[in-house]
Each structure stands twice: as structure tokens, then as C-alpha cells.
Amino acid sequence: MFKEEISSCVNPSDGVMAESDKEEELDVTKAKVEKVREENLKLKLLLSTILTDYNSLQMHVSKVLQQQRGASVELDINRHDDFGVDISLRLGRPELKIYQKDEVPKKTSLEKISERNKEGSEKKRSAFGLDFRIQSFKDRPNIDETMKLDYISRGVKEANAVNKCVSSRKDVKTARNENQQEVLETHEQPSLKKTRVCVKATCEDPLINDGCQWRKYGQKTAKTNPLPRAYYRCSMSTNCPVRKQVQRCGEDENSDYMTTYEGNHDHPLPMEATHMAAGTSAAASLLQSGSSSSASLNNFFPFHHFSVSTTNSHPTVTLDLTRPNYLNQLQNYPLSSSSSLSFSSPDRPSPSNSHTLSFNGLRSQAPLNTYSHQTRLSGQQ
DNA sequence: CGGATTTGACCTGCGC
DNA sequence: GCGCAGGTCAAATCCG
């Protein structure tokens, strides 16, 4: 009798059910913990990005304020309309360095080259600059300050997010030896190609001051181009993986320089570099996502032609700053946001392998210099 | 003397 | 597998 009662109370199938329930519950809990862990990681990354952005912005706030006091007239010329943020990207020589024809006696090319070679690297770096400015919002009291900073940091975040996918060949090699997990992660994303940003500028010195410090580590003459190509790496941080190549496009003294940027900085960027990185990375993300939204690109390079395409190994964005869109924009004034984006990729199934996106927009700002620039971006930056 | 540049050698990826 | 071309290394050199 007693045994029967016990056997009736303890159903072996119930015990199995309880065990499986526990296992199920354990799995669910594990999954939850894993999810929380991932979210935690994401939040950490986000916090890191925000801190980086904040530091970068903070560093330049005082600078900008000083510029406002000292050069308010010039800043007025560079006015943008987006959220009241006036951002200008200036490739080439700052005004102070621009020679006046009647001030500088004509010299032979060799003399100029010789003189340039004698100049220190610092002078070289400062001779030609990417000038980046943010105008104050004082004249736009209606716009919330948070919104403005948000707008800026969004561009920076976009750059950082895209840049995280990039690593140089050496980095990959180093990772093989030092961190197997990183290698696995790299292999897990085989579709992500290296990003390069090429800036083609017509100026007399290849060392455009783009906000970063560069150390030359090599020079090579390509077979296809007899003109030497110089290789630089970012020296702002000891382990910064960012590389850049500078190659003259022609033997002519006034010929363009094609500057190719590759990789992502592992340190806070100066504003002038941040803007370029953000714009080109926006192009990269556009390319990789296959999205046809090019509005973000237009935000960064509103006055110049740019195109996005991919070669066999690299997606490519070409920003043709030599053909300023603002002329068309002026004609079309007051059309809203616009630019011309040609998008082509051999890897994409598009029938023509080419998409052309047109958005005619206008900024109330003219190109800031007479020097030509062309940016080609491939992969990610 | 230390940092930057030069330059030949070496490495690696890719096409054939 | 081989050769080529681009990219990187590192010792030598330059320069402030």
C-alpha cells in the first residue's frame, strides 16, 4: 500500500520533465547572460566612442572660440546652414601661405624643389592644410545645443564605426602572432575589404596638413607610374595603424597629388582630420551597405563631386573636389540637399554595375580654395 | 643625439 | 609554381 502511494506520488516521467525544464531554464538564463554581456560590450564601445568624441570636441572648443573672436569675418564667409553648424574643409595652403604673383619672384622648378627640400618637415606640414572650422550657434538660438553636438558626433561615430572594420596588412599579420581571436574575427568578416581614402590635391607640396602627423617609412616607384609613391604612417600614436600614400599624378610641377589614406586611427583625431574621416567613412559605409542614401556624404563634402565604386579588391569612393558642385548648386539655388554620386561596383549584381544618385542641394558656402581635390575611398575608413 | 627621411632588400598577394 | 608588382622593413643617412 505504502509503496503504491509512493510510486503514485513520484512519477518518473515528472522527474524527467523537471530536469529538462531546469536545463531549458538554464539555457535561457545563459542566453540572457550572454545577451547582457554583449550589450555591455556594446555599451562599453559606445562609451569609448563618446569619450573620444567628447575629448576631441573639447580640445577644439577653445580653439574655435578663439577663431571666432579673431576671425569672425572669415567665419561668416564659411557659413553653413545645417543645424547651424558651419563646417568647412579646406585642402591646400592657408591664406597666409598663398603666394601673391607680384610678391614672389618666379623661380625655376628645380630651385623651388630644392628650397622645399630644405624646409623642415614641420614647415612642410603646415604649409598646406586641411582647414576645418565649426562656427558658433550664437546666431541660431532656436537650435538646441545637444542637437548640434549630436549632429557632429553622429558623423564622428559613423567614421569610428566603419573604421573599426579596417586593419592594415601588417596589423593582420601581427594579430596572427599575438591574438588568434582577433584573427578569427577578421576571418569571420571576409567580405569587409580594406578602406582607402584618396585625396587628390593640386598643390606644390604633397604633405597636406590633414590634422595628423605622418612619418615617412618608404618610397616606391610603381611600374605603371614612373613617379615615386611615398608611404607614410600616422605618428600621432605609437601603434596607430593608419597609413597614407602620396603619389604625384604627373611630372608637371602643378600636377595633382593623390593621397591615399588607409586604416583607422586608434587615438582621438583632431577636428580637421575627424571631418575628413567622417565623410569618407560615410562613403565607405554607403558602399558596403549598398545603400543608396548618399545624403550623409553630401553633408561632409557638399561642394564637390564624389563617386563611389569598387575595384577588384577595394570599394572606391571618388570625391572630385576639382569639380566643385557649388557652381551647379548656385545655379540651382535654392534647391535643397544635393550632390552627385556615382556608385559603381563590380561586386554588385546591378545590371549596369553602376548607380547614379543625384541629389541637388545647396549650401550657402562656396568652395574654400582654388586648389583641386579628389578623394577616392575604397573599403572602409 | 634623437627623430625623420632615404633607399635597397625583403615580403606578400595575385595573375598566369 | 613562378614571376611580377605593390607594400613594408630596417639600416644608413640626414638634419635640427
Side-chain angles (χ1 to χ4, degrees):
Chain A
M1 282 249 321
F2 189 62
K3 277 185 180 176
E4 281 179 0
E5 281 180 3
I6 291 175
S7 63
S8 63
C9 290
V10 182
N11 188 339
S13 62
D14 285 345
V16 171
M17 284 294 290
E19 245 184 50
S20 64
D21 283 346
K22 280 182 182 176
E23 283 179 4
E24 204 171 310
E25 197 175 336
L26 193 64
D27 288 342
V28 170
T29 308
K30 278 182 182 176
K32 281 181 183 175
V33 168
E34 193 61 33
K35 201 174 180 181
V36 169
R37 193 179 296 170
E38 282 178 10
E39 283 179 3
N40 192 23
L41 201 63
K42 283 176 186 174
L43 286 171
K44 276 183 183 175
L45 285 171
L46 186 64
L47 182 63
S48 167
T49 306
I50 289 171
L51 283 172
T52 303
D53 297 347
Y54 176 76
N55 289 334
S56 183
L57 284 170
Q58 200 175 33
M59 278 198 318
H60 290 274
V61 162
S62 57
K63 220 176 185 179
V64 170
L65 289 175
Q66 284 179 357
Q67 283 181 354
Q68 284 173 356
R69 291 190 198 110
S72 60
V73 173
E74 186 185 9
L75 287 170
D76 283 341
I77 293 170
N78 299 332
R79 181 169 299 161
H80 274 244
D81 289 337
D82 289 352
F83 296 101
V85 180
D86 284 352
I87 301 172
S88 63
L89 180 65
R90 190 175 292 189
L91 281 168
R93 295 171 293 189
E95 290 90 340
L96 290 175
K97 293 288 180 179
I98 293 175
Y99 297 119
Q100 299 297 324
K101 278 183 181 177
D102 50 351
E103 288 178 5
V104 179
K106 288 189 175 180
K107 294 177 181 177
T108 66
S109 301
L110 284 174
E111 282 173 329
K112 284 185 177 179
I113 292 170
S114 174
E115 281 189 8
R116 254 181 277 138
N117 289 339
K118 286 176 185 174
E119 292 174 354
S121 60
E122 284 303 318
K123 189 177 176 183
K124 277 184 177 180
R125 288 190 186 106
S126 60
F128 305 92
L130 276 171
D131 191 353
F132 179 76
R133 300 162 194 275
I134 300 176
Q135 193 173 4
S136 79
F137 299 91
K138 284 179 181 176
D139 54 344
R140 291 172 170 263
N142 296 335
I143 296 174
D144 180 60
E145 290 297 323
T146 308
M147 193 172 163
K148 298 160 193 167
L149 281 175
D150 202 39
Y151 176 70
I152 298 171
S153 66
R154 245 184 293 144
V156 177
K157 273 185 196 171
E158 192 175 4
N160 290 340
V162 178
N163 282 344
K164 277 172 187 166
C165 302
V166 182
S167 62
S168 68
R169 189 174 64 178
K170 189 199 170 188
D171 297 330
V172 173
K173 192 169 69 178
T174 307
R176 279 181 196 142
N177 298 330
E178 295 177 355
N179 194 332
Q180 287 278 357
Q181 195 174 351
E182 284 181 13
V183 173
L184 287 174
E185 285 171 5
T186 305
H187 289 173
E188 281 171 7
Q189 298 176 342
S191 62
L192 296 180
K193 307 287 179 62
K194 274 197 285 187
T195 293
R196 289 177 177 172
V197 179
C198 301
V199 178
K200 186 178 178 183
T202 302
C203 55
E204 295 174 8
D205 198 302
L207 292 180
I208 296 167
N209 180 8
D210 47 15
C212 295
Q213 292 179 335
W214 301 96
R215 175 190 169 92
K216 190 175 184 178
Y217 67 88
Q219 182 165 313
K220 186 89 177 177
T221 303
K223 287 278 180 180
T224 54
N225 189 344
L227 300 164
R229 174 185 297 170
Y231 300 90
Y232 299 85
R233 62 165 57 100
C234 179
S235 59
M236 291 186 76
S237 167
T238 51
N239 294 321
C240 183
V242 175
R243 303 274 196 275
K244 102 171 174 180
Q245 304 171 9
V246 178
Q247 182 163 31
R248 200 162 203 166
C249 299
E251 293 181 8
D252 183 14
E253 181 189 349
N254 296 321
S255 62
D256 298 343
Y257 281 100
M258 181 71 81
T259 305
T260 305
Y261 299 89
E262 180 179 311
N264 59 305
H265 296 274
D266 65 351
H267 52 83
L269 285 173
M271 259 309 185
E272 50 266 53
T274 298
H275 183 236
M276 173 65 82
T280 52
S281 65
S285 91
L286 168 70
L287 235 187
Q288 294 215 334
S289 67
S291 163
S292 22
S293 167
S294 54
S296 59
L297 268 182
N298 193 45
N299 285 335
F300 292 105
F301 304 112
F303 303 109
H304 304 280
H305 272 276
F306 56 88
S307 64
V308 186
S309 64
T310 58
T311 63
N312 289 335
S313 56
H314 302 287
T316 302
V317 169
T318 301
L319 174 68
D320 191 351
L321 300 174
T322 67
R323 292 181 292 155
N325 268 351
Y326 93 101
L327 289 174
N328 294 331
Q329 290 166 349
L330 283 178
Q331 288 170 3
N332 296 333
Y333 185 83
L335 289 176
S336 56
S337 64
S338 110
S339 183
S340 163
L341 174 67
S342 68
F343 188 111
S344 63
S345 166
D347 299 326
R348 301 187 190 286
S350 167
S352 61
N353 272 341
S354 171
H355 314 274
T356 298
L357 306 172
S358 293
F359 49 108
N360 299 313
L362 177 79
R363 306 292 179 96
S364 58
Q365 179 191 25
L368 296 161
N369 60 71
T370 58
Y371 298 94
S372 60
H373 319 287
Q374 186 173 46
T375 296
R376 190 186 73 206
L377 181 147
S378 47
Q380 283 179 319
Q381 190 215 357

mmCIF file of all heavy atoms in Angstrom, chain A residues 163 194-200 243-245 258-263 276-284 301 315-319 374-381:
data_model
loop_
_atom_site.group_PDB
_atom_site.id
_atom_site.type_symbol
_atom_site.label_atom_id
_atom_site.label_comp_id
_atom_site.label_asym_id
_atom_site.label_seq_id
_atom_site.Cartn_x
_atom_site.Cartn_y
_atom_site.Cartn_z
ATOM 1 N N ASN A 163 35.418 52.556 -39.367
ATOM 2 C CA ASN A 163 36.859 52.372 -39.302
ATOM 3 C C ASN A 163 37.242 51.137 -38.517
ATOM 4 O O ASN A 163 38.300 50.572 -38.721
ATOM 5 C CB ASN A 163 37.510 53.593 -38.652
ATOM 6 C CG ASN A 163 37.614 54.736 -39.614
ATOM 7 O OD1 ASN A 163 37.472 54.537 -40.813
ATOM 8 N ND2 ASN A 163 37.863 55.919 -39.121
ATOM 9 N N LYS A 194 39.627 46.332 -47.054
ATOM 10 C CA LYS A 194 40.304 47.495 -46.523
ATOM 11 C C LYS A 194 39.795 48.759 -47.188
ATOM 12 O O LYS A 194 39.498 48.782 -48.370
ATOM 13 C CB LYS A 194 41.811 47.375 -46.763
ATOM 14 C CG LYS A 194 42.496 46.592 -45.670
ATOM 15 C CD LYS A 194 43.968 46.832 -45.692
ATOM 16 C CE LYS A 194 44.647 46.104 -46.817
ATOM 17 N NZ LYS A 194 46.109 46.206 -46.738
ATOM 18 N N THR A 195 39.742 49.772 -46.408
ATOM 19 C CA THR A 195 39.256 51.040 -46.924
ATOM 20 C C THR A 195 40.410 51.975 -47.203
ATOM 21 O O THR A 195 41.343 52.080 -46.433
ATOM 22 C CB THR A 195 38.340 51.710 -45.907
ATOM 23 O OG1 THR A 195 37.180 50.932 -45.788
ATOM 24 C CG2 THR A 195 37.962 53.100 -46.355
ATOM 25 N N ARG A 196 40.317 52.619 -48.292
ATOM 26 C CA ARG A 196 41.312 53.633 -48.610
ATOM 27 C C ARG A 196 40.602 54.911 -48.998
ATOM 28 O O ARG A 196 39.585 54.884 -49.673
ATOM 29 C CB ARG A 196 42.210 53.176 -49.755
ATOM 30 C CG ARG A 196 43.146 52.068 -49.349
ATOM 31 C CD ARG A 196 43.932 51.620 -50.551
ATOM 32 N NE ARG A 196 44.891 50.609 -50.183
ATOM 33 C CZ ARG A 196 45.610 49.931 -51.069
ATOM 34 N NH1 ARG A 196 45.471 50.201 -52.340
ATOM 35 N NH2 ARG A 196 46.463 49.028 -50.672
ATOM 36 N N VAL A 197 41.171 55.975 -48.559
ATOM 37 C CA VAL A 197 40.645 57.274 -48.918
ATOM 38 C C VAL A 197 41.723 58.025 -49.659
ATOM 39 O O VAL A 197 42.782 58.280 -49.120
ATOM 40 C CB VAL A 197 40.243 58.079 -47.672
ATOM 41 C CG1 VAL A 197 39.720 59.442 -48.078
ATOM 42 C CG2 VAL A 197 39.208 57.322 -46.896
ATOM 43 N N CYS A 198 41.468 58.341 -50.886
ATOM 44 C CA CYS A 198 42.457 59.061 -51.673
ATOM 45 C C CYS A 198 42.031 60.515 -51.832
ATOM 46 O O CYS A 198 40.922 60.799 -52.243
ATOM 47 C CB CYS A 198 42.628 58.433 -53.047
ATOM 48 S SG CYS A 198 43.139 56.724 -52.952
ATOM 49 N N VAL A 199 42.943 61.389 -51.519
ATOM 50 C CA VAL A 199 42.687 62.811 -51.687
ATOM 51 C C VAL A 199 43.624 63.337 -52.748
ATOM 52 O O VAL A 199 44.829 63.287 -52.594
ATOM 53 C CB VAL A 199 42.918 63.575 -50.372
ATOM 54 C CG1 VAL A 199 42.699 65.061 -50.576
ATOM 55 C CG2 VAL A 199 41.995 63.043 -49.304
ATOM 56 N N LYS A 200 43.047 63.787 -53.803
ATOM 57 C CA LYS A 200 43.859 64.326 -54.887
ATOM 58 C C LYS A 200 43.837 65.845 -54.792
ATOM 59 O O LYS A 200 42.786 66.464 -54.868
ATOM 60 C CB LYS A 200 43.312 63.862 -56.224
ATOM 61 C CG LYS A 200 44.154 64.247 -57.407
ATOM 62 C CD LYS A 200 43.510 63.684 -58.665
ATOM 63 C CE LYS A 200 44.277 64.086 -59.900
ATOM 64 N NZ LYS A 200 43.621 63.618 -61.116
ATOM 65 N N ARG A 243 47.799 54.293 -42.469
ATOM 66 C CA ARG A 243 48.844 54.528 -43.472
ATOM 67 C C ARG A 243 48.342 55.546 -44.481
ATOM 68 O O ARG A 243 47.145 55.700 -44.669
ATOM 69 C CB ARG A 243 49.170 53.240 -44.215
ATOM 70 C CG ARG A 243 49.593 52.092 -43.345
ATOM 71 C CD ARG A 243 51.077 52.171 -43.079
ATOM 72 N NE ARG A 243 51.583 50.893 -42.579
ATOM 73 C CZ ARG A 243 51.547 50.550 -41.309
ATOM 74 N NH1 ARG A 243 51.000 51.376 -40.441
ATOM 75 N NH2 ARG A 243 52.038 49.400 -40.912
ATOM 76 N N LYS A 244 49.264 56.171 -45.103
ATOM 77 C CA LYS A 244 48.865 57.000 -46.229
ATOM 78 C C LYS A 244 49.926 56.965 -47.310
ATOM 79 O O LYS A 244 51.113 56.857 -47.033
ATOM 80 C CB LYS A 244 48.548 58.422 -45.759
ATOM 81 C CG LYS A 244 49.571 59.491 -46.000
ATOM 82 C CD LYS A 244 49.003 60.863 -45.672
ATOM 83 C CE LYS A 244 50.061 61.942 -45.778
ATOM 84 N NZ LYS A 244 49.537 63.280 -45.476
ATOM 85 N N GLN A 245 49.469 57.006 -48.533
ATOM 86 C CA GLN A 245 50.365 57.012 -49.682
ATOM 87 C C GLN A 245 50.181 58.330 -50.409
ATOM 88 O O GLN A 245 49.068 58.799 -50.571
ATOM 89 C CB GLN A 245 50.044 55.872 -50.639
ATOM 90 C CG GLN A 245 50.058 54.506 -50.019
ATOM 91 C CD GLN A 245 49.526 53.465 -50.985
ATOM 92 O OE1 GLN A 245 49.303 53.749 -52.145
ATOM 93 N NE2 GLN A 245 49.319 52.264 -50.488
ATOM 94 N N MET A 258 47.919 62.577 -55.340
ATOM 95 C CA MET A 258 46.903 61.646 -54.856
ATOM 96 C C MET A 258 47.335 61.096 -53.509
ATOM 97 O O MET A 258 48.345 60.418 -53.397
ATOM 98 C CB MET A 258 46.704 60.508 -55.849
ATOM 99 C CG MET A 258 45.650 59.517 -55.419
ATOM 100 S SD MET A 258 43.993 60.186 -55.510
ATOM 101 C CE MET A 258 43.659 59.980 -57.248
ATOM 102 N N THR A 259 46.629 61.434 -52.499
ATOM 103 C CA THR A 259 46.939 60.960 -51.158
ATOM 104 C C THR A 259 45.941 59.888 -50.769
ATOM 105 O O THR A 259 44.737 60.116 -50.789
ATOM 106 C CB THR A 259 46.888 62.111 -50.157
ATOM 107 O OG1 THR A 259 47.766 63.154 -50.599
ATOM 108 C CG2 THR A 259 47.339 61.648 -48.787
ATOM 109 N N THR A 260 46.447 58.724 -50.433
ATOM 110 C CA THR A 260 45.579 57.599 -50.100
ATOM 111 C C THR A 260 45.676 57.290 -48.611
ATOM 112 O O THR A 260 46.749 57.016 -48.103
ATOM 113 C CB THR A 260 45.990 56.362 -50.896
ATOM 114 O OG1 THR A 260 45.996 56.666 -52.277
ATOM 115 C CG2 THR A 260 45.032 55.213 -50.643
ATOM 116 N N TYR A 261 44.557 57.349 -47.947
ATOM 117 C CA TYR A 261 44.509 57.025 -46.518
ATOM 118 C C TYR A 261 43.963 55.620 -46.348
ATOM 119 O O TYR A 261 43.054 55.205 -47.047
ATOM 120 C CB TYR A 261 43.631 58.011 -45.767
ATOM 121 C CG TYR A 261 44.120 59.433 -45.838
ATOM 122 C CD1 TYR A 261 43.729 60.277 -46.866
ATOM 123 C CD2 TYR A 261 44.992 59.921 -44.882
ATOM 124 C CE1 TYR A 261 44.171 61.574 -46.943
ATOM 125 C CE2 TYR A 261 45.452 61.225 -44.937
ATOM 126 C CZ TYR A 261 45.037 62.050 -45.975
ATOM 127 O OH TYR A 261 45.484 63.340 -46.040
ATOM 128 N N GLU A 262 44.519 54.915 -45.379
ATOM 129 C CA GLU A 262 44.070 53.543 -45.146
ATOM 130 C C GLU A 262 44.130 53.219 -43.662
ATOM 131 O O GLU A 262 45.121 53.486 -43.003
ATOM 132 C CB GLU A 262 44.964 52.582 -45.928
ATOM 133 C CG GLU A 262 44.589 51.129 -45.763
ATOM 134 C CD GLU A 262 45.505 50.234 -46.595
ATOM 135 O OE1 GLU A 262 45.702 50.521 -47.780
ATOM 136 O OE2 GLU A 262 46.012 49.268 -46.049
ATOM 137 N N GLY A 263 43.079 52.644 -43.154
ATOM 138 C CA GLY A 263 43.051 52.229 -41.758
ATOM 139 C C GLY A 263 42.311 53.214 -40.882
ATOM 140 O O GLY A 263 41.795 54.227 -41.346
ATOM 141 N N MET A 276 37.239 64.815 -42.285
ATOM 142 C CA MET A 276 37.568 64.046 -43.479
ATOM 143 C C MET A 276 37.263 62.577 -43.270
ATOM 144 O O MET A 276 36.654 61.906 -44.113
ATOM 145 C CB MET A 276 39.054 64.238 -43.816
ATOM 146 C CG MET A 276 39.556 63.358 -44.933
ATOM 147 S SD MET A 276 38.786 63.713 -46.500
ATOM 148 C CE MET A 276 39.741 65.098 -47.046
ATOM 149 N N ALA A 277 37.671 62.077 -42.086
ATOM 150 C CA ALA A 277 37.451 60.663 -41.799
ATOM 151 C C ALA A 277 35.962 60.350 -41.774
ATOM 152 O O ALA A 277 35.513 59.331 -42.295
ATOM 153 C CB ALA A 277 38.090 60.297 -40.458
ATOM 154 N N ALA A 278 35.207 61.244 -41.175
ATOM 155 C CA ALA A 278 33.770 61.000 -41.075
ATOM 156 C C ALA A 278 33.122 60.983 -42.451
ATOM 157 O O ALA A 278 32.295 60.123 -42.753
ATOM 158 C CB ALA A 278 33.139 62.064 -40.190
ATOM 159 N N GLY A 279 33.509 61.917 -43.277
ATOM 160 C CA GLY A 279 32.891 61.989 -44.588
ATOM 161 C C GLY A 279 33.230 60.815 -45.467
ATOM 162 O O GLY A 279 32.361 60.207 -46.091
ATOM 163 N N THR A 280 34.488 60.465 -45.466
ATOM 164 C CA THR A 280 34.894 59.372 -46.317
ATOM 165 C C THR A 280 34.391 58.044 -45.788
ATOM 166 O O THR A 280 34.045 57.151 -46.543
ATOM 167 C CB THR A 280 36.418 59.328 -46.445
ATOM 168 O OG1 THR A 280 36.979 59.347 -45.140
ATOM 169 C CG2 THR A 280 36.916 60.496 -47.243
ATOM 170 N N SER A 281 34.329 57.937 -44.463
ATOM 171 C CA SER A 281 33.813 56.686 -43.916
ATOM 172 C C SER A 281 32.327 56.558 -44.175
ATOM 173 O O SER A 281 31.805 55.451 -44.328
ATOM 174 C CB SER A 281 34.085 56.595 -42.427
ATOM 175 O OG SER A 281 33.375 57.594 -41.753
ATOM 176 N N ALA A 282 31.667 57.687 -44.225
ATOM 177 C CA ALA A 282 30.254 57.644 -44.594
ATOM 178 C C ALA A 282 30.114 57.071 -45.993
ATOM 179 O O ALA A 282 29.227 56.256 -46.269
ATOM 180 C CB ALA A 282 29.662 59.040 -44.517
ATOM 181 N N ALA A 283 31.015 57.474 -46.851
ATOM 182 C CA ALA A 283 31.003 56.935 -48.204
ATOM 183 C C ALA A 283 31.283 55.446 -48.191
ATOM 184 O O ALA A 283 30.662 54.672 -48.915
ATOM 185 C CB ALA A 283 32.051 57.659 -49.049
ATOM 186 N N ALA A 284 32.220 55.066 -47.335
ATOM 187 C CA ALA A 284 32.569 53.652 -47.255
ATOM 188 C C ALA A 284 31.394 52.828 -46.769
ATOM 189 O O ALA A 284 31.090 51.766 -47.311
ATOM 190 C CB ALA A 284 33.756 53.463 -46.307
ATOM 191 N N PHE A 301 30.920 66.432 -47.825
ATOM 192 C CA PHE A 301 31.550 67.039 -48.984
ATOM 193 C C PHE A 301 30.491 67.675 -49.868
ATOM 194 O O PHE A 301 30.173 67.168 -50.930
ATOM 195 C CB PHE A 301 32.341 66.001 -49.779
ATOM 196 C CG PHE A 301 33.363 65.304 -48.960
ATOM 197 C CD1 PHE A 301 33.243 63.970 -48.662
ATOM 198 C CD2 PHE A 301 34.441 66.004 -48.447
ATOM 199 C CE1 PHE A 301 34.193 63.330 -47.897
ATOM 200 C CE2 PHE A 301 35.399 65.368 -47.677
ATOM 201 C CZ PHE A 301 35.272 64.024 -47.402
ATOM 202 N N PRO A 315 36.409 48.655 -52.424
ATOM 203 C CA PRO A 315 35.382 49.613 -52.792
ATOM 204 C C PRO A 315 36.038 50.989 -52.915
ATOM 205 O O PRO A 315 37.009 51.263 -52.220
ATOM 206 C CB PRO A 315 34.407 49.569 -51.627
ATOM 207 C CG PRO A 315 34.728 48.346 -50.870
ATOM 208 C CD PRO A 315 36.172 48.046 -51.121
ATOM 209 N N THR A 316 35.529 51.793 -53.774
ATOM 210 C CA THR A 316 36.178 53.070 -54.010
ATOM 211 C C THR A 316 35.173 54.199 -54.016
ATOM 212 O O THR A 316 34.132 54.108 -54.639
ATOM 213 C CB THR A 316 36.914 53.069 -55.363
ATOM 214 O OG1 THR A 316 37.859 52.026 -55.360
ATOM 215 C CG2 THR A 316 37.605 54.383 -55.609
ATOM 216 N N VAL A 317 35.504 55.228 -53.305
ATOM 217 C CA VAL A 317 34.732 56.454 -53.394
ATOM 218 C C VAL A 317 35.633 57.531 -53.946
ATOM 219 O O VAL A 317 36.736 57.722 -53.465
ATOM 220 C CB VAL A 317 34.206 56.889 -52.020
ATOM 221 C CG1 VAL A 317 33.637 58.285 -52.100
ATOM 222 C CG2 VAL A 317 33.154 55.926 -51.542
ATOM 223 N N THR A 318 35.203 58.184 -54.972
ATOM 224 C CA THR A 318 35.984 59.264 -55.535
ATOM 225 C C THR A 318 35.306 60.584 -55.244
ATOM 226 O O THR A 318 34.171 60.802 -55.664
ATOM 227 C CB THR A 318 36.148 59.082 -57.047
ATOM 228 O OG1 THR A 318 36.787 57.842 -57.285
ATOM 229 C CG2 THR A 318 36.970 60.211 -57.628
ATOM 230 N N LEU A 319 35.994 61.376 -54.506
ATOM 231 C CA LEU A 319 35.491 62.718 -54.248
ATOM 232 C C LEU A 319 36.264 63.671 -55.136
ATOM 233 O O LEU A 319 37.451 63.880 -54.947
ATOM 234 C CB LEU A 319 35.677 63.098 -52.793
ATOM 235 C CG LEU A 319 35.312 64.548 -52.463
ATOM 236 C CD1 LEU A 319 33.822 64.758 -52.608
ATOM 237 C CD2 LEU A 319 35.768 64.900 -51.079
ATOM 238 N N GLN A 374 40.597 65.595 -54.912
ATOM 239 C CA GLN A 374 39.809 64.446 -55.312
ATOM 240 C C GLN A 374 40.015 63.357 -54.285
ATOM 241 O O GLN A 374 41.120 63.040 -53.905
ATOM 242 C CB GLN A 374 40.250 63.942 -56.676
ATOM 243 C CG GLN A 374 39.355 62.833 -57.181
ATOM 244 C CD GLN A 374 39.718 62.491 -58.587
ATOM 245 O OE1 GLN A 374 40.871 62.342 -58.909
ATOM 246 N NE2 GLN A 374 38.746 62.384 -59.443
ATOM 247 N N THR A 375 38.948 62.845 -53.812
ATOM 248 C CA THR A 375 39.039 61.799 -52.807
ATOM 249 C C THR A 375 38.468 60.526 -53.363
ATOM 250 O O THR A 375 37.364 60.495 -53.855
ATOM 251 C CB THR A 375 38.262 62.189 -51.553
ATOM 252 O OG1 THR A 375 38.878 63.323 -50.984
ATOM 253 C CG2 THR A 375 38.272 61.063 -50.552
ATOM 254 N N ARG A 376 39.214 59.487 -53.297
ATOM 255 C CA ARG A 376 38.719 58.184 -53.677
ATOM 256 C C ARG A 376 38.799 57.304 -52.443
ATOM 257 O O ARG A 376 39.803 57.228 -51.783
ATOM 258 C CB ARG A 376 39.565 57.588 -54.794
ATOM 259 C CG ARG A 376 38.962 56.339 -55.387
ATOM 260 C CD ARG A 376 39.909 55.719 -56.364
ATOM 261 N NE ARG A 376 41.025 55.078 -55.717
ATOM 262 C CZ ARG A 376 42.199 54.904 -56.297
ATOM 263 N NH1 ARG A 376 42.442 55.357 -57.482
ATOM 264 N NH2 ARG A 376 43.173 54.309 -55.654
ATOM 265 N N LEU A 377 37.751 56.668 -52.173
ATOM 266 C CA LEU A 377 37.736 55.834 -50.975
ATOM 267 C C LEU A 377 37.399 54.421 -51.364
ATOM 268 O O LEU A 377 36.469 54.165 -52.082
ATOM 269 C CB LEU A 377 36.719 56.364 -49.970
ATOM 270 C CG LEU A 377 36.634 55.566 -48.665
ATOM 271 C CD1 LEU A 377 36.299 56.530 -47.550
ATOM 272 C CD2 LEU A 377 35.601 54.491 -48.770
ATOM 273 N N SER A 378 38.204 53.544 -50.862
ATOM 274 C CA SER A 378 37.897 52.152 -51.116
ATOM 275 C C SER A 378 37.909 51.391 -49.820
ATOM 276 O O SER A 378 38.701 51.639 -48.948
ATOM 277 C CB SER A 378 38.903 51.570 -52.075
ATOM 278 O OG SER A 378 40.202 51.904 -51.703
ATOM 279 N N GLY A 379 37.054 50.471 -49.669
ATOM 280 C CA GLY A 379 36.945 49.720 -48.438
ATOM 281 C C GLY A 379 36.303 50.566 -47.383
ATOM 282 O O GLY A 379 35.268 51.145 -47.594
ATOM 283 N N GLN A 380 36.962 50.645 -46.288
ATOM 284 C CA GLN A 380 36.419 51.413 -45.193
ATOM 285 C C GLN A 380 37.467 52.312 -44.637
ATOM 286 O O GLN A 380 38.634 52.031 -44.678
ATOM 287 C CB GLN A 380 35.987 50.489 -44.071
ATOM 288 C CG GLN A 380 34.703 49.824 -44.368
ATOM 289 C CD GLN A 380 34.380 48.928 -43.227
ATOM 290 O OE1 GLN A 380 35.253 48.272 -42.717
ATOM 291 N NE2 GLN A 380 33.152 48.930 -42.837
ATOM 292 N N GLN A 381 37.026 53.380 -44.034
ATOM 293 C CA GLN A 381 37.967 54.191 -43.318
ATOM 294 C C GLN A 381 37.478 54.455 -41.935
ATOM 295 O O GLN A 381 36.325 54.726 -41.762
ATOM 296 C CB GLN A 381 38.174 55.508 -44.023
ATOM 297 C CG GLN A 381 39.355 56.245 -43.389
ATOM 298 C CD GLN A 381 39.118 57.710 -43.380
ATOM 299 O OE1 GLN A 381 38.111 58.152 -43.896
ATOM 300 N NE2 GLN A 381 39.987 58.478 -42.764
#
